[in-house]
Amino acid sequence: MLFTALLATSVAILGASAQNSYPFQKYTIAAAGINASFIPYGARLTNLLVNDKNGNPQDVVLGYDNGTQYLNDTETVHTYFGAVVGRYANRIKNGTFTVDGVTSHIPENENDGHDTLHGGTVGYDQRNWTVVSANASSITFSLLDLAFEGFPGNIITYATYTVSAGPQWTSRLVSIPLDEPTPIMLANHVYWNLDAFNVPSNPTVLNDTLYMPYSDRYVEIDNIEVPNGTIGIVNGTFLDFTSPKQIGTDILSAVNNCGFGCVGYDNAFILDRPRYSGPESTDISVLTMSSNVTGIQLNVRTNQQSLQIYTCNTLNGTIPVKQSQEHGNSTTYVPKYGCVVIETQQWIDGINYPEWGQEQYQIYTVDSEPAVVFAQYDFSILPSS
């Protein structure tokens, strides 16, 4: 019934003109075994439904039922649920960087003015993107960034989302500089719960399994989660997911790992692809996550060289799940560790560490290739034991 209702909404909406639109209008696309909904506010994913092991559709991403609730979120807890973040995702130390001898200063919107997070005070997540194309299985948004937040130069970005049989969701973020050299690093900021809150008595992801076979290294951070310039090795630490492991296995050992006094994961894992796969190759899965509750397994492929993994350490049980995720007789709220954010991106704050060799992946010009963030999310069902 839920799939049928959403599909009917999709047909009605997609028949409308795809132009500048109400920022909270929902657009739904669908293919066999999957449908996904988006709003222009932040080019944001609001729902993603795939079938579980029993053939029932499950909504596996966090968000809100009413589009206007995302504005309230921005003005209060500011989770960045489902949005595109940019122009530069993640953190910039002191909000400052230098490109071609020109120093730029971006508003420091985190940690009492010590760093910039996700593009500054008004990032891409708060912008009303334009719908430029939409059909039954794909939608494209665009955003013209006129030197927002003090970033150098103007750029135009297209976000194209497509669903296909598999089931599979593909995200392509393409940014083109229009005049000046500038850093560009976008990411989808999607919160996942593959259990889909089917067990209200245990709404966390701690029993879900996470596997990142090519994440042998990570970017070390200080006590406000800004890189300190050191590259660490995960072997023998609680950060080692190079073999499949439940998320909760070592999480209580991750003390001060996600900032001072924080317990959990919020780390940039470097992707060291195998020798016969290129540094931006998308031929292999770089992350696998699965739920024994629903049987849903997620495989991620991307052209990016890092995965930022955040285990919702700061959520505190005050945000209710969506109606599509209610499975009990009372309201379920998202607790600490109630989700996982997977950000496919380049190395955090790489623009301030030239010794890392990230310039070619983070600095773009009018005569360079565009900045492209490709991410593909493949869903399957775990084999029966």
Side-chain angles (χ1 to χ4, degrees):
M1 290 293 292
L2 185 57
F3 253 83
T4 303
L6 284 172
L7 194 54
T9 302
S10 168
V11 171
I13 291 175
L14 292 175
S17 175
Q19 300 293 332
N20 287 328
S21 56
Y22 178 58
F24 309 113
Q25 179 178 340
K26 186 174 287 190
Y27 294 79
T28 300
I29 58 178
I34 184 171
N35 71 35
S37 297
F38 306 88
I39 58 174
Y41 183 65
R44 188 181 308 255
L45 175 69
T46 63
N47 305 80
L48 197 155
L49 287 90
V50 293
N51 290 335
D52 65 13
K53 59 187 177 183
N54 298 314
N56 298 316
Q58 302 290 343
D59 193 348
V60 293
V61 301
L62 274 65
Y64 298 103
D65 289 313
N66 189 320
T68 58
Q69 291 174 285
Y70 290 96
L71 178 59
N72 179 69
D73 178 294
T74 297
E75 295 172 343
T76 54
V77 291
H78 207 169
T79 61
Y80 302 89
F81 275 163
V84 173
V85 291
R87 172 183 310 195
Y88 194 90
N90 221 316
R91 294 172 173 88
I92 302 173
K93 184 177 183 178
N94 298 322
T96 303
F97 56 84
T98 300
V99 176
D100 286 357
V102 178
T103 298
S104 297
H105 191 87
I106 314 303
E108 301 102 322
N109 59 326
E110 190 187 40
N111 293 312
D112 297 321
H114 286 92
D115 68 279
T116 298
L117 176 65
H118 294 327
T121 306
V122 183
Y124 283 12
D125 65 296
Q126 298 177 60
R127 304 290 176 174
N128 184 26
W129 294 55
T130 299
V131 179
V132 295
S133 178
N135 58 45
S137 61
S138 185
I139 186 168
T140 297
F141 298 91
S142 71
L143 179 69
L144 178 60
D145 174 351
L146 300 175
F148 294 157
E149 298 297 286
F151 281 94
N154 306 312
I155 69 173
I156 189 166
T157 295
Y158 296 92
T160 298
Y161 304 127
T162 304
V163 292
S164 54
Q168 181 182 85
W169 171 46
T170 302
S171 169
R172 290 173 291 170
L173 309 177
V174 179
S175 301
I176 303 170
L178 302 178
D179 36 44
E180 300 178 35
T182 183
I184 303 173
M185 189 172 86
L186 308 189
N188 297 109
H189 204 274
V190 178
Y191 286 66
W192 300 90
N193 184 312
L194 298 184
D195 292 355
F197 300 99
N198 269 274
V199 184
S201 61
N202 181 21
T204 73
V205 296
L206 296 179
N207 292 329
D208 288 358
T209 298
L210 180 63
Y211 176 40
M212 296 185 290
Y214 309 112
S215 294
D216 294 296
R217 299 185 296 159
Y218 69 102
V219 178
E220 294 191 11
I221 53 177
D222 62 18
N223 62 7
I224 59 169
E225 300 187 81
V226 172
N228 61 19
T230 305
I231 304 301
I233 305 298
V234 305
N235 185 42
T237 75
F238 52 77
L239 291 164
D240 192 352
F241 287 91
T242 56
S243 296
K245 181 174 71 174
Q246 286 188 323
I247 293 170
T249 299
D250 296 320
I251 199 168
L252 296 182
S253 299
V255 179
N256 297 323
N257 175 61
C258 44
F260 182 74
C262 177
V263 180
Y265 298 105
D266 194 2
N267 300 95
F269 292 86
I270 295 169
L271 293 173
D272 293 312
R273 290 172 172 85
R275 109 180 244 199
Y276 294 113
S277 182
E280 298 178 284
S281 178
T282 61
D283 61 335
I284 53 175
S285 172
V286 296
L287 179 148
T288 301
M289 187 166 63
S290 61
S291 162
N292 283 325
V293 172
T294 60
I296 295 171
Q297 178 170 275
L298 167 65
N299 281 284
V300 178
R301 292 185 290 154
T302 182
N303 67 337
Q304 301 294 282
Q305 298 180 351
S306 174
L307 297 170
Q308 182 79 22
I309 304 297
Y310 166 61
T311 49
C312 300
N313 316 308
T314 58
L315 271 67
N316 59 7
T318 58
I319 298 175
V321 303
K322 293 174 288 187
Q323 286 297 313
S324 56
Q325 296 167 328
E326 288 285 8
H327 301 284
N329 295 321
S330 58
T331 301
T332 300
Y333 291 85
V334 184
K336 183 177 184 178
Y337 310 137
C339 42
V340 177
V341 178
I342 304 167
E343 301 172 49
T344 61
Q345 59 191 228
Q346 303 295 354
W347 295 21
I348 175 177
D349 203 23
I351 50 175
N352 280 316
Y353 291 95
E355 64 270 28
W356 291 351
Q358 277 279 299
E359 292 96 331
Q360 64 179 313
Y361 306 109
Q362 299 196 20
I363 306 297
Y364 293 87
T365 67
V366 290
D367 54 359
S368 73
E369 72 279 8
V372 178
V373 181
F374 175 87
Q376 201 155 64
Y377 304 84
D378 293 291
F379 299 91
S380 58
I381 299 300
L382 288 170
S384 301
S385 56

